[in-house]
Amino acid sequence: MPQKSFHRTDRVSAQLRRELGTLVRDAVAEHGLPSVSVSDVEVTRDLAHAKVFVTALQPERATEAMKGLKAVAPEVRYRLARAVNLRHVPELHFHYDDSVDRGERIDNLLRDLPDTGDDS
């Protein structure tokens, strides 16, 4: 059975996700932004761009958080360049990941369904 090969973009994405988790948390604290966490990072094949998906701990402040992150993106990229060993650090594009919010909404809807009493 052939082993699944890991592409360079997968390895770089994983490394960037780890580093950006810390860097974004630090930037949020420094600039007084609403708290967010990095949920995923996808890099383009040429490693020129990285989509950084974040979730907000306070979904109602997500817009404010995204605006702040986009403003500090160049600073975060500079710090990232010093933390990773890459010849070219991708340009960072922050995107809001609403999958957690959607999951919570679905969970609440399911919890509110009337119990049918069917234990099968």
Side-chain angles (χ1 to χ4, degrees):
M1 191 158 106
Q3 245 186 338
K4 182 183 185 302
S5 67
F6 285 97
H7 296 287
R8 181 159 192 248
T9 54
D10 296 337
R11 289 194 310 270
V12 170
S13 290
Q15 183 183 13
L16 295 183
R17 185 171 45 249
R18 281 192 304 273
E19 294 293 339
L20 284 169
T22 305
L23 293 172
V24 165
R25 187 180 59 236
D26 294 348
V28 161
E30 263 178 53
H31 296 281
L33 301 174
S35 196
V36 296
S37 63
V38 174
S39 59
D40 197 16
V41 176
E42 293 175 359
V43 293
T44 55
R45 192 175 294 191
D46 63 0
L47 304 180
H49 300 273
K51 278 187 182 178
V52 182
F53 294 94
V54 296
T55 56
L57 299 181
Q58 300 169 297
E60 64 280 0
R61 296 185 67 194
T63 306
E64 178 188 348
M66 293 309 299
K67 197 173 176 182
L69 280 176
K70 287 177 181 176
V72 299
E75 177 188 332
V76 173
R77 182 179 182 215
Y78 174 76
R79 291 180 181 183
L80 181 63
R82 298 180 69 181
V84 297
N85 188 15
L86 290 174
R87 190 176 310 152
H88 178 77
V89 173
E91 194 174 317
L92 304 177
H93 304 279
F94 288 98
H95 295 273
Y96 187 66
D97 180 0
D98 67 349
S99 60
V100 174
D101 300 345
R102 281 198 316 252
E104 278 183 23
R105 241 188 335 269
I106 290 169
D107 202 37
N108 289 337
L109 287 170
L110 291 173
R111 204 175 292 129
D112 292 345
L113 285 175
D115 187 11
T116 60
D118 185 17
D119 290 337
S120 51

